Amino acid sequence: MSAQTDAFPQSPPAPLSKDSDRGPDAGRLRIVPVRRTGQWAAAVAVLVLLALALNSVIRNDAFQWDVVGDYFTTAAVLRGLGLTLWLTALVMVLGFALGTLLAVLRLSTNHVLHAVSWGYVWLFRSTPILVQLLFWFNIGALYPEILGVRTVNLLGPVTVAVIGLTLHEAAYAAEVVRGGILSVERGQIEAAQSLGLGSWRRFRRIVLPQAMRSIVPPAGNMLIGTLKGTSIVSIIAVQDLLYSVQLVYHRTYQVIPLLLVATVWYAVVTSLLSIGQHCIERHYARGSAGTR
């Protein structure tokens, strides 16, 4: 008997089902979601406060929304808006062109080029943009003539604005581009070198497309910041959007509605730029982890 028992071992007992452990009412149990009463109460309170604030803005006659509608699309305001958009686009293109050059110099193994790039970024990031604009606006006190041309005639308010904003933005663009280049894995560059690709082709075909994933988000923030930052050029009498509405309310004394005109236009343009930034980010994020 013992031999038969060893030859034919008995099968282990069947495990008890989970329902049998839970009792006869186990089939009627259901999962109940956690009630987040505090969060919903806070959300309702926030919505109520927002509704009250919006109602006070709309129904307050001091905002003079009818005046805002009258001046929103006037020729003077649209000319100022056009100059603001043109100045923003030009400064961003020139700033990133110079910033890319500075980033390449910063990553160079040549100590002199590295030091020059670092010094430029340090200088223009250490001084306020308003101080830089006023300095360039008064450059004639230091150099009355450049190449035989009087600086008063050479550097008008718009030219000063372009120069000052471009040099300022280039310092920040250099750090954005440098960070994007450093985000590319070293193995990608070594693989391109092993294929015999030249330095320019490696940068254009391998480094830059991958670096754009890290460059686009801060570059989009810089673009929106530059758009709003152009309002500072009104201090040197450049007729941008803010200066245009200032000319109007200095004549009509309707300060609040004219400032609302500029505010709404800035909000509209920045919203459109944010949508464009989102689309570009999705384009360069294709194939990366966490994206569809």
Side-chain angles (χ1 to χ4, degrees), residues 51-88:
L52 293 175
L54 184 61
N55 180 68
S56 66
V57 170
I58 295 176
R59 298 173 64 87
N60 191 344
D61 295 335
F63 285 98
Q64 303 181 44
W65 291 108
D66 55 338
V67 179
V68 174
D70 293 338
Y71 284 99
F72 193 70
T73 56
T74 57
V77 172
L78 293 180
R79 281 196 302 269
L81 176 64
L83 181 58
T84 296
L85 296 177
W86 174 83
L87 189 60
T88 302

Side-chain angles (χ1 to χ4, degrees), residues 3-287:
Q4 292 179 358
T5 304
D6 295 339
F8 302 95
Q10 296 180 353
S11 60
L16 296 175
S17 63
K18 296 181 179 179
D19 293 339
S20 62
D21 293 340
R22 296 177 182 175
D25 296 335
R28 295 194 296 269
L29 295 178
R30 60 189 180 89
I31 299 175
V32 179
V34 178
R35 293 184 176 87
R36 306 183 183 276
T37 308
Q39 293 184 5
W40 282 108
V44 171
V46 170
L47 290 177
V48 170
L49 292 177
L50 287 176
L52 293 175
L54 184 61
N55 180 68
S56 66
V57 170
I58 295 176
R59 298 173 64 87
N60 191 344
D61 295 335
F63 285 98
Q64 303 181 44
W65 291 108
D66 55 338
V67 179
V68 174
D70 293 338
Y71 284 99
F72 193 70
T73 56
T74 57
V77 172
L78 293 180
R79 281 196 302 269
L81 176 64
L83 181 58
T84 296
L85 296 177
W86 174 83
L87 189 60
T88 302
L90 183 61
V91 166
M92 286 299 295
V93 170
L94 296 179
F96 264 89
L98 180 57
T100 303
L101 176 61
L102 291 170
V104 173
L105 297 180
R106 183 78 178 273
L107 296 173
S108 174
T109 56
N110 188 298
H111 297 292
V112 176
L113 298 179
H114 178 88
V116 170
S117 176
W118 181 89
Y120 179 95
V121 173
W122 169 80
L123 177 62
F124 284 92
R125 290 176 62 185
S126 302
T127 54
I129 180 60
L130 179 59
V131 174
Q132 297 177 31
L133 285 176
L134 293 176
F135 178 83
W136 288 108
F137 190 71
N138 295 279
I139 194 67
L142 297 176
Y143 299 98
E145 292 186 2
I146 299 178
L147 299 177
V149 180
R150 293 183 59 83
T151 54
V152 176
N153 301 326
L154 182 64
L155 300 179
V158 177
T159 306
V160 169
V162 172
I163 293 174
L165 292 176
T166 299
L167 296 178
H168 179 77
E169 293 298 319
Y172 291 89
E175 292 299 287
V176 170
V177 175
R178 185 175 70 92
I181 294 175
L182 292 176
S183 67
V184 180
E185 295 182 1
R186 182 64 185 175
Q188 299 283 337
I189 303 175
E190 293 176 352
Q193 290 175 340
S194 65
L195 294 175
L197 298 180
S199 57
W200 169 245
R201 195 175 181 186
R202 288 198 307 268
F203 179 78
R204 184 172 58 90
R205 301 295 298 272
I206 305 298
V207 177
L208 187 59
Q210 298 183 69
M212 289 299 290
R213 289 200 297 263
S214 300
I215 292 175
V216 170
N221 294 334
M222 282 185 58
L223 175 60
I224 295 175
T226 302
L227 172 70
K228 296 182 295 184
T230 54
S231 60
I232 201 171
V233 300
S234 61
I235 199 68
I236 57 175
V238 176
Q239 295 189 12
D240 67 322
L241 177 59
L242 179 60
Y243 191 79
S244 299
V245 300
Q246 285 177 336
L247 291 178
V248 176
Y249 72 62
H250 284 160
R251 185 179 68 252
T252 62
Y253 300 102
Q254 295 170 320
V255 179
I256 297 299
L258 267 302
L259 289 178
L260 285 174
V261 169
T263 301
V264 173
W265 269 122
Y266 280 122
V268 169
V269 177
T270 53
S271 299
L272 295 176
L273 292 178
S274 299
I275 295 174
Q277 176 186 351
H278 175 70
C279 296
I280 296 175
E281 287 181 10
R282 290 186 58 184
H283 172 76
Y284 283 104
R286 293 178 302 175

